[in-house]
Amino acid sequence: MSDDDAKASSHYRIAQASFTAPRPEPALYLVATPIGNLGDITLRALELIAGADRLACEDTRVTAKLLQRFGIERRATAYHEHNAEEAGDALLADLEAGRSVALVSDAGTPLVSDPGFRLVGAAIERGIPVVPVPGASALLSALQVSGLPSDAFFFAGFLPQKQGARRARLEELARIPGTLIVYEAPHRIAESLADMAAVIGGDRKAAVSRELTKAYETTYRGTLAALATEFAEAERVRGEIVVCVAPAPVAEASAPADADAILRGLLAEMKPAQAAQEAARLTGLPRRDLYRRALDFKSAG
């Protein structure tokens, strides 16, 4: 990009006022963008989006709406999971040539359930400065309004689409010592909540937020079982969704000896698979481990 090109793209507008963005130092800037309400953009983000030598984004059509809103006239380079190698090499070449690159996501913070990890890793390996430009984040916004503990939390991204893999992943996450946060597609939310209720526990408190910062922003709160029923009965669910699940009470954790006693008692009335599932609910221990113990007890007679 020539100096003339950089100057031509360095203006942005807020309401009726026009501003000239300073040209940033050479670096890879990870610029957070609004998750819905475009008014949530930061001044620093506008300066970098307008002033950087190169603007890279996941979807140029989505970013175009942001550029239009703030009067930024410039081209954006598509960088997504399908062209990451080719587009990433071009961006790295610009960075190594001493240019600045602003990387934005479709919404929220780059690299959070979003392409960019490989580009950042490659930049670090080459000694290129990587600069975070904080802003909107769907997972933090959902955690704020969930009413659930926020002193410790674990973000698990999107759950697997197929039920078997999804339940296996939930078993791994069930004992996370903090609030669990996941993203989910609207057409899968009812199934995912049902699986969460079955694997994590139907009485676990949770919150489901949709369309955060937008006109129809809504947060539903209740137990996983109640939320699963509510969404199963909904005619149609729309919008981006974040689910927050409360951590299991500390009192639910049982010592192995106690778990064995519980498991033996259940095996007197249930098959190993059923006993393991019920013991996992009662003790908070992984169902897989309990199932193996159940099979050992059965084989030992």
Side-chain angles (χ1 to χ4, degrees):
M1 176 178 287
S2 68
D3 289 342
D4 290 339
D5 289 336
K7 291 177 182 177
S9 64
S10 62
H11 300 283
Y12 64 95
R13 187 178 64 249
I14 300 176
Q16 303 304 314
S18 181
F19 302 86
T20 300
R23 195 167 185 181
E25 293 294 320
L28 172 60
Y29 296 90
L30 309 177
V31 184
T33 56
I35 59 176
N37 190 324
L38 294 182
D40 290 336
I41 193 74
T42 68
L43 293 176
R44 188 181 178 203
L46 287 175
E47 288 187 345
L48 286 164
I49 291 172
D53 294 318
R54 181 72 70 89
L55 174 63
C57 62
E58 186 177 1
D59 189 327
T60 56
R61 295 166 299 180
V62 173
T63 300
K65 298 177 183 177
L66 182 66
L67 299 180
Q68 183 178 14
R69 165 69 180 272
F70 294 100
I72 301 173
E73 298 180 0
R74 66 170 309 167
R75 292 182 179 180
T77 298
Y79 175 81
H80 46 72
E81 60 181 345
H82 302 296
N83 74 342
E85 184 173 352
E86 180 180 355
D89 287 344
L91 294 173
L92 288 168
D94 279 336
L95 289 164
E96 290 185 314
R99 299 185 178 94
S100 57
V101 173
L103 176 67
V104 304
S105 65
D106 282 354
T109 302
L111 276 70
V112 180
S113 277
D114 194 79
F117 176 78
R118 282 192 289 174
L119 180 62
V120 170
I124 293 172
E125 289 179 358
R126 289 165 170 76
I128 297 168
V130 178
V131 182
V133 183
S137 170
L139 73 94
L140 293 179
S141 298
L143 180 62
Q144 286 179 311
V145 300
S146 69
L148 301 175
S150 58
D151 56 330
F153 60 90
F154 182 86
F155 175 60
F158 282 92
L159 294 173
Q161 296 183 21
K162 294 185 178 180
Q163 186 181 59
R166 184 166 57 238
R167 288 200 170 197
R169 178 59 173 153
L170 287 169
E171 286 180 7
E172 297 172 350
L173 299 171
R175 297 303 303 167
I176 292 293
T179 296
L180 173 64
I181 306 174
V182 299
Y183 289 166
E184 190 51 279
H187 62 279
R188 287 196 301 270
I189 184 61
E191 296 176 3
S192 289
L193 286 171
D195 287 339
M196 290 181 198
V199 176
I200 295 178
D203 57 349
R204 190 85 67 90
K205 290 183 178 180
V208 179
S209 294
R210 55 175 294 275
E211 295 289 83
L212 285 167
T213 78
K214 300 178 183 178
Y216 297 102
E217 172 184 321
T218 311
T219 295
Y220 308 82
R221 301 176 184 88
T223 64
L224 281 172
L227 289 168
T229 299
E230 183 173 357
F231 278 87
E233 295 173 350
E235 291 185 5
R236 184 177 181 183
V237 182
R238 297 181 180 180
E240 303 296 326
I241 293 175
V242 187
V243 181
C244 297
V245 182
V250 175
E252 285 188 13
S254 298
D258 294 336
D260 284 351
I262 291 172
L263 192 56
R264 289 181 183 277
L266 293 170
L267 284 170
E269 302 177 1
M270 303 178 181
K271 294 181 180 179
Q274 295 173 309
Q277 182 169 338
E278 180 63 14
R281 187 186 69 80
L282 293 171
T283 66
L285 297 174
R287 187 190 66 83
R288 288 179 179 177
D289 295 344
L290 292 168
Y291 180 61
R292 285 194 290 267
R293 294 289 292 163
L295 293 178
D296 290 341
F297 291 153
K298 278 292 186 181
S299 63

